[in-house]
Amino acid sequence: MEKSLLDIIHIVLNQVQKPLTAEAILKEIKSNNLYDFTGKTPKTAIRARLAENIDQFESASQFVRLQKGTFGLRKWLIESPGQYKEYEAKKKRNQLMDEYLAVFNRDTLPQIVSINGLNEVPIDSNWFKNNCTPMVRHEAEDDYSVVQLISVFIIKFKDKIITHTRSAKAPESRLHGERSIVFGGHITYEEVNSLFDPFDPNSTHPFIKRELEEEITVSSDSVMTPIGLLYDSTRDVSSQHLGLVYLVEMINEDYEIGEKGYHINDELTHISDVIKNKSDYENWSVELIDKILNKGKY
């Protein structure tokens, strides 16, 4: 029977007997001609298969994260307990729920958005700095009198965008299992009022790194363009959030999903296929597919 990619990765790790990154695993596979990759991003495929296996099977997985982005065999934890220790992401769900988010009064929403859906307007940093107040996340999730700020990134390479499924590990349980074209997360109150201005297009790369580094890594030369504000009152979860929407254009196909396990089944998908299958995606994605992708903007 033909060996799977995970079978080959296990063989490689068992042979080298040391932790490897996805890039190093790929180098070993290619140098020994162990596997025929059909996709254009084999490093991403290796990282994705490992992350999915570890997140799905947890302690029953044959694989383990030993450092951020570095993998090994779980049996090493038993064979060399003093040498290896399982790596865990810094932020657990309960810690995320205790973050102080940037929120603003729902009654002021008409000051910045005029329609339900995508508002292609400038992102006014001064308005947010003047109107946002801090609120602990678990309180904000239960308070419908305020709206939480969310960074929203569409990540594109030529005629493809990165799509993914939100896993059961993601903090927002109402989005579990849903297909999406967006990345990003809550903007904290500290970020709104820090020396670095997350709303300033001239400061795009630090914002990408800070907001996405635990979810996805793209080239530092990627270009970010602010698109506008996204609000959708037709669904409970989206009515509590305002998205600050940016288009990220990669200079190559290389990217790497973070190790928190919030995003699974990721792939670079042709925009035409996303448009054709838009009913497979959650509501914010559908709005952006209609307003941005389907109209060939940006």
Side-chain angles (χ1 to χ4, degrees):
M1 186 173 70
E2 185 177 351
K3 288 182 171 61
S4 70
L5 177 55
L6 284 175
D7 292 332
I8 299 300
I9 294 171
H10 189 278
I11 291 172
V12 167
L13 291 172
N14 208 36
Q15 287 178 340
V16 300
Q17 286 293 304
K18 65 179 182 180
L20 296 177
T21 63
E23 185 174 7
I25 292 171
L26 175 61
K27 184 177 180 180
E28 290 289 332
I29 292 174
K30 284 187 171 181
S31 63
N32 293 286
N33 197 27
L34 296 175
Y35 189 80
D36 184 19
F37 291 93
T38 57
K40 293 183 178 180
T41 55
K43 183 179 73 173
T44 299
I46 291 170
R47 196 274 320 146
R49 298 296 82 74
L50 283 167
E52 289 169 8
N53 186 271
I54 294 169
D55 293 337
Q56 180 179 355
F57 296 105
E58 298 181 337
S59 61
S61 171
Q62 298 181 81
F63 305 99
V64 63
R65 296 181 182 90
L66 296 173
Q67 296 178 29
K68 185 175 181 180
T70 303
F71 302 91
L73 297 179
R74 187 168 296 276
K75 66 180 183 180
W76 297 348
L77 301 179
I78 300 172
E79 296 172 352
S80 305
Q83 185 176 0
Y84 297 115
K85 183 179 179 181
E86 184 169 6
Y87 170 84
E88 295 183 4
K90 293 180 180 180
K91 289 187 177 180
K92 298 297 184 183
R93 187 179 189 280
N94 60 342
Q95 292 175 307
L96 289 172
M97 296 305 286
D98 288 333
E99 286 184 326
Y100 277 88
L101 303 182
V103 304
F104 61 90
N105 193 303
R106 180 179 298 276
D107 293 338
T108 62
L109 191 61
Q111 296 179 15
I112 50 174
V113 297
S114 58
I115 61 172
N116 210 51
L118 179 64
N119 292 251
E120 294 181 69
V121 296
I123 298 175
D124 185 351
S125 61
N126 288 328
W127 189 94
F128 289 103
K129 288 182 177 181
N130 292 332
N131 287 275
C132 285
T133 57
M135 181 176 285
V136 178
R137 180 169 178 172
H138 66 82
E139 294 179 359
E141 297 291 0
D142 294 328
D143 189 343
Y144 285 79
S145 70
V146 298
V147 177
Q148 305 161 44
L149 287 187
I150 300 285
S151 59
V152 175
F153 298 92
I154 307 169
I155 305 178
K156 176 177 180 284
F157 175 70
K158 296 184 178 179
D159 60 347
K160 299 178 182 178
I161 59 172
I162 303 177
T163 61
H164 62 91
T165 300
R166 298 181 184 274
S167 78
K169 289 195 171 186
E172 179 51 76
S173 60
R174 290 171 290 186
L175 295 175
H176 289 172
E178 299 202 3
R179 198 71 184 157
S180 181
I181 69 167
V182 302
F183 290 86
H186 284 84
I187 297 174
T188 66
Y189 184 70
E190 180 183 12
E191 287 170 335
V192 171
N193 291 276
S194 65
L195 292 176
F196 165 63
D197 186 353
F199 308 101
D200 183 359
N202 294 322
S203 300
T204 57
H205 297 317
F207 191 28
I208 290 176
K209 182 177 180 181
R210 184 158 65 185
E211 290 297 308
L212 294 185
E213 64 181 358
E214 291 187 351
E215 295 188 23
I216 184 170
T217 300
V218 298
S219 169
S220 60
D221 294 325
S222 299
V223 177
M224 184 167 75
T225 303
I227 293 177
L229 303 174
L230 178 59
Y231 182 75
D232 184 2
S233 63
T234 63
R235 185 178 178 186
D236 184 64
V237 59
S238 54
S239 70
Q240 290 184 275
H241 302 92
L242 177 74
L244 280 60
V245 184
Y246 300 84
L247 176 68
V248 180
E249 295 181 87
M250 300 190 297
I251 62 170
N252 54 50
E253 292 188 344
D254 292 335
Y255 71 90
E256 187 168 353
I257 299 291
E259 298 303 324
K260 292 193 297 184
Y262 294 169
H263 312 291
I264 59 176
N265 303 323
D266 57 284
E267 62 179 357
L268 270 168
T269 308
H270 282 283
I271 291 175
S272 59
D273 290 333
V274 174
I275 294 171
K276 182 171 61 177
N277 300 302
K278 74 173 185 178
S279 61
D280 295 341
Y281 295 85
E282 46 82 22
N283 60 308
W284 270 18
S285 292
V286 170
E287 174 69 9
L288 294 171
I289 291 169
D290 285 341
K291 296 289 180 64
I292 302 298
L293 303 186
N294 205 22
K295 295 185 178 180
K297 293 186 176 181
Y298 306 97

